Amino acid sequence: MSTEEMSLEDLFCAVDDFCRLFLPDWHRQQLQCGERKRRRGSRMVLSEIMTILIHFHQSITATSKPSTCSMSVGTWPAPSRSGSVINRFVALIPTALVPLCVYLQTRKGQETGISFIDATSLVVCHNRRIHSHKVFKKIARRGKTSVGWFYGFKLHLVVNDCGELLAFQVTPGNTDDRNRYPVWSKASPVSSSVTGAISPKNSSRRC
């Protein structure tokens, strides 16, 4: 079952089960610097933070604050209905980055023999502010899509004919979509792009 087909309760249970298995191994494999560090817990557990983030990106809510408020106050269990949900939620988001990346790997679909690859732009700033942009200055690049030029990155996705995610990769904006062979190799042997680009290994086979 995909996350889009899950109810909020089913999504939380799936994420919570993942966290129960992942967190002990993750903490055990982290490198130690020899110093004793505190692991101060928050009122929101990691599975709650991850569930809110996933549910928010699946919703059509324009801003995160109304979504967070409605979930935590309206439908979330009583222990989570505290001011920290609103005031500290943004500060807690970085703690969920690595677990979210690992959880995404567990939600990939099955290969069906037909795969589609496409890319979308991830704009980091307006074109007029390219020269003054500093955050991603060393890794972001200028690129061009069907709607014009942009500055930032490209998100390459591979899905099967059921719309399930098979592989993904983030590259600089000037990367040619047809040169993402590492992404293509993770998909089915019969891979074609919705834009018409065909894997060189299967140029003689078209879906």
Side-chain angles (χ1 to χ4, degrees):
M1 180 184 298
S2 64
T3 55
E4 294 182 355
E5 300 173 350
M6 292 182 179
S7 63
L8 182 59
E9 292 77 10
D10 293 336
L11 176 61
F12 173 74
C13 291
V15 173
D16 190 59
D17 291 340
F18 164 79
C19 290
R20 291 176 182 272
L21 296 175
F22 170 73
L23 289 180
D25 291 338
W26 184 38
H27 291 158
R28 186 167 53 252
Q29 295 179 14
Q30 289 180 342
L31 297 178
Q32 300 292 334
C33 62
E35 299 180 359
R36 185 176 180 181
K37 295 184 178 181
R38 295 176 58 188
R39 290 181 180 175
R40 183 178 179 181
S42 62
R43 295 196 178 186
M44 293 187 66
V45 296
L46 180 61
S47 56
E48 292 177 332
I49 300 173
M50 293 175 59
T51 302
I52 291 177
L53 292 173
I54 296 173
H55 186 74
F56 163 67
H57 286 286
Q58 291 177 343
S59 66
I60 59 175
T61 308
T63 59
S64 61
K65 188 171 183 179
S67 176
T68 305
C69 291
S70 62
M71 289 182 58
S72 59
V73 178
T75 60
W76 218 246
S80 297
R81 301 177 187 174
S82 63
S84 64
V85 175
I86 305 301
N87 299 329
R88 284 192 40 83
F89 182 75
V90 175
L92 295 175
I93 290 179
T95 62
L97 177 59
V98 173
L100 278 172
C101 293
V102 178
Y103 179 73
L104 177 59
Q105 301 294 330
T106 67
R107 305 305 305 176
K108 291 183 178 180
Q110 300 293 328
E111 296 183 1
T112 61
I114 301 177
S115 304
F116 301 90
I117 183 172
D118 199 7
T120 185
S121 60
L122 300 177
V123 181
V124 299
C125 71
H126 193 276
N127 289 337
R128 295 180 180 178
R129 301 187 180 94
I130 294 178
H131 297 289
S132 60
H133 182 79
K134 297 181 180 180
V135 178
F136 297 104
K137 182 178 180 180
K138 295 183 179 181
I139 54 179
R141 296 294 183 270
R142 298 190 187 190
K144 187 177 182 181
T145 63
S146 58
V147 297
W149 290 90
F150 71 96
Y151 181 73
F153 306 92
K154 278 187 178 180
L155 173 62
H156 305 264
L157 297 174
V158 182
V159 299
N160 58 21
D161 56 342
C162 299
E164 299 174 334
L165 179 67
L166 298 180
F168 65 93
Q169 188 173 16
V170 178
T171 63
N174 60 352
T175 303
D176 192 338
D177 299 349
R178 297 167 295 182
N179 293 337
R180 298 321 307 149
Y181 299 148
V183 178
W184 292 17
S185 62
K186 298 177 183 178
S188 171
V190 184
S191 301
S192 66
S193 170
V194 292
T195 57
I198 306 297
S199 174
K201 296 182 180 180
N202 304 286
S203 59
S204 61
R205 303 179 61 183
R206 293 181 180 269
C207 300

